[in-house]
Amino acid sequence: MSQNIEKNKNIELSTFYVGDALCGLDILKIQEINKIMERTPVPQAPAYVLGVLNLRGQIVTIIDLGRKLGLGTTEITDDTRNIIVRSSDGATGFLVRNISEVVEMDQSEIEKAPANMKGIQGKYFSGVFKTKTSIIGVLDAEEVLAFTEGEGDR
């Protein structure tokens, strides 16, 4: 019996705001979402690295996603959250303005990201997903996590 391979694959995006930009991340890449704001600064880290926090014994680097994407500093409010993302190097937290909803979509509906989307470099996105009311930038977590030399002043 041959294996029936699904042509279309549904994924769930956890959506959130970075500045005024609506972004989404595959929910399977997310370890947790929290509002822990106590951090220890990291000397000589790039400006978007806000510090590290101790998450139940796990050291997590927190980055200001707004600064990393070139959208300005994320203001800490009651709605601000850390999205803890699993990666090969451990876990990293993305500080975001606020969390929105979970959106289910078919991977085939993701369109190529424009080179510049609301002032954000397209390299940080694997594509965009259009809903009836908005455009969601599908974040490429690995690209965001790629710390490159010379980013300390951003």
Side-chain angles (χ1 to χ4, degrees), residues 42-50 61-71 92 94 120-121 123-124 140-154:
V42 178
Q44 300 180 353
Y48 58 82
V49 175
L50 299 176
T61 301
I62 302 296
I63 66 171
D64 182 338
L65 200 51
R67 281 189 99 156
K68 176 73 178 185
L69 299 180
L71 295 173
T92 300
F94 295 156
I120 308 169
Q121 292 182 340
K123 74 176 184 174
Y124 293 123
D140 181 342
E142 285 74 29
E143 188 63 43
V144 173
L145 294 173
F147 292 95
T148 56
E149 296 297 319
E151 282 194 331
D153 299 333
R154 290 191 190 162

Side-chain angles (χ1 to χ4, degrees), residues 9-10 16 33 42 47 49 57 70 74 81-83 96 122 125 147:
K9 184 179 179 225
N10 282 350
F16 48 89
I33 297 172
V42 178
V49 175
T74 302
R81 296 291 184 271
N82 292 311
I83 299 176
V96 300
F125 295 88
F147 292 95

Side-chain angles (χ1 to χ4, degrees), residues 10 14 23 25 48 50 57-59 63 72 79 81 94 100-101 105 123 128 135 152 154:
N10 282 350
S14 177
C23 301
L25 187 60
Y48 58 82
L50 299 176
Q58 179 182 28
I59 301 301
I63 66 171
D79 295 328
R81 296 291 184 271
F94 295 156
S100 191
E101 59 191 354
M105 54 169 265
K123 74 176 184 174
V128 294
I135 296 177
R154 290 191 190 162

Side-chain angles (χ1 to χ4, degrees), residues 1-142:
M1 185 167 136
S2 68
Q3 208 175 7
N4 186 6
I5 299 173
E6 282 186 61
K7 208 187 283 186
N8 299 327
K9 184 179 179 225
N10 282 350
I11 62 172
E12 290 181 310
L13 290 179
S14 177
T15 63
F16 48 89
Y17 282 91
V18 180
D20 292 329
L22 181 60
C23 301
L25 187 60
D26 184 341
I27 208 163
L28 297 177
K29 294 185 186 301
I30 298 173
Q31 176 178 315
E32 72 178 76
I33 297 172
N34 68 44
K35 61 183 296 181
I36 302 170
M37 295 297 144
E38 290 181 29
R39 302 180 287 275
T40 303
V42 178
Q44 300 180 353
Y48 58 82
V49 175
L50 299 176
V52 295
L53 64 83
N54 183 339
L55 184 65
R56 295 178 299 280
Q58 179 182 28
I59 301 301
V60 178
T61 301
I62 302 296
I63 66 171
D64 182 338
L65 200 51
R67 281 189 99 156
K68 176 73 178 185
L69 299 180
L71 295 173
T73 302
T74 302
E75 183 183 340
I76 305 294
T77 68
D78 287 342
D79 295 328
T80 309
R81 296 291 184 271
N82 292 311
I83 299 176
I84 310 299
V85 179
R86 291 183 295 265
S87 72
S88 56
D89 297 334
T92 300
F94 295 156
L95 183 74
V96 300
R97 189 182 89 192
N98 66 302
I99 301 297
S100 191
E101 59 191 354
V102 173
V103 176
E104 188 172 326
M105 54 169 265
D106 190 304
Q107 258 185 326
S108 67
E109 296 177 285
I110 297 176
E111 298 178 22
K112 187 177 187 309
N116 185 325
M117 187 174 85
K118 288 195 177 197
I120 308 169
Q121 292 182 340
K123 74 176 184 174
Y124 293 123
F125 295 88
S126 56
V128 294
F129 175 67
K130 295 177 183 171
T131 68
K132 290 180 181 172
T133 57
S134 59
I135 296 177
I136 301 169
V138 181
L139 204 63
D140 181 342
E142 285 74 29

